Amino acid sequence: MSYKIKSRIWIESDKHVLLGEGRVQLLKAIDKTGSLSKAAKALNISYKKAWNLLDSVNKSAKKPVTINSIGGKGGGGAELTDYGKSLILAFDEINKNCWEFLDKQLEKIERI
């Protein structure tokens, strides 16, 4: 019989979520598309939900995560700051290390 451990991690600050898998996916989509609106469409979520997620990240972070330009004739845009890009890399590494640890811990169950 084969077992799997299921887990999700997120990082909080004063009971507000800074990062989780959904927020990181949104940040990656913003980085790829250059737009919050396009990122929301790519992730199949509403613009309002995307805006709320990004707002919560920016409010919980030590520094701005995105640089936003207001829409208009040419449209607005959003790009990640270096700090935002660093947060993504750090979260991905933490998540990977967490899964490696959990996989090793699962061996304890499989040995029984």
Side-chain angles (χ1 to χ4, degrees), residues 73-107:
K73 189 173 182 178
E79 66 179 273
L80 295 183
T81 62
D82 288 341
Y83 177 71
K85 292 175 183 179
S86 295
L87 284 177
I88 290 172
L89 293 173
F91 182 86
D92 283 347
E93 184 177 345
I94 291 166
N95 204 25
K96 178 180 170 271
N97 291 340
C98 181
W99 280 108
E100 288 173 0
F101 172 79
L102 291 174
D103 286 343
K104 288 178 185 168
Q105 295 305 301
L106 185 59
E107 292 172 9

Side-chain angles (χ1 to χ4, degrees), residues 26-77:
L26 177 60
L27 293 176
K28 287 178 178 179
I30 290 169
D31 195 37
K32 182 177 180 181
T33 65
S35 160
L36 180 58
S37 177
K38 289 177 185 175
K41 285 179 186 174
L43 296 175
N44 201 27
I45 61 175
S46 72
Y47 177 83
K48 179 161 178 44
K49 180 171 182 167
W51 191 92
N52 286 336
L53 288 171
L54 182 58
D55 187 53
S56 74
V57 170
N58 275 314
K59 285 181 177 173
S60 299
K62 293 178 185 177
K63 301 176 188 176
V65 176
T66 58
I67 297 170
N68 304 316
S69 57
I70 297 172
K73 189 173 182 178

